[in-house]
Amino acid sequence: MTPSRLKEFCLAQNAAVEDFPFGPEVSVFKVAGKMFALSDLAATPLKVSLKCDPDEAVRLRAEYPAIVPGYHLNKRHWNTVTVAELPARTVRELVEDSYDLVVAGLPKAERLRLDRP
């Protein structure tokens, strides 16, 4: 998966926006003001940090060497993924899971606005 495809996929999530709160080099993808992915899209190798259920995060780290505890994030809830070392489908699923986890934590009114009860 290329940086442009990763960005495109993150922004394809319902109501997702790109923001730069940590400086111009780090793209932060948010829904309803809450972060679900962040990446320096110009970095080599390309990495993306994604929110994850704590138990699932541990399982994924054990299964994939390309998935490690979140860099500069709460390591219980975030994983950092080296994109080139995983199939694109797996990366897409991880992005979707992160987005869904963030949306599930939003107030009911926000979820309904996003058509996600």
Side-chain angles (χ1 to χ4, degrees):
M1 178 176 283
T2 65
S4 60
R5 295 236 181 207
L6 176 61
K7 177 179 177 173
E8 180 181 299
F9 189 73
C10 287
L11 290 174
Q13 306 307 303
N14 190 18
V17 296
E18 182 180 24
D19 194 10
F20 298 91
F22 305 121
E25 62 279 339
V26 180
S27 293
V28 176
F29 300 96
K30 297 180 177 182
V31 58
K34 302 290 184 182
M35 183 169 62
F36 69 91
L38 67 152
S39 177
D40 177 349
L41 296 171
T44 303
L46 177 62
K47 296 181 180 186
V48 62
S49 292
L50 301 165
K51 192 152 188 163
C52 193
D53 171 79
D55 293 330
E56 182 71 2
V58 171
R59 186 193 68 74
L60 288 167
R61 293 173 198 161
E63 184 175 346
Y64 299 103
I67 300 177
V68 297
Y71 181 70
H72 284 301
L73 297 162
N74 182 326
K75 292 170 183 5
R76 181 166 153 75
H77 296 277
W78 289 85
N79 280 336
T80 297
V81 177
T82 303
V83 174
E85 295 180 23
L86 293 174
R89 178 181 179 181
T90 302
V91 174
R92 286 191 301 269
E93 289 171 354
L94 293 170
V95 169
E96 287 172 342
D97 289 348
S98 178
Y99 174 87
D100 290 343
L101 189 61
V102 170
V103 169
L106 295 173
K108 185 176 181 180
E110 279 293 319
R111 289 194 313 270
L112 291 173
R113 187 182 69 75
L114 295 170
D115 296 323
R116 301 183 83 128

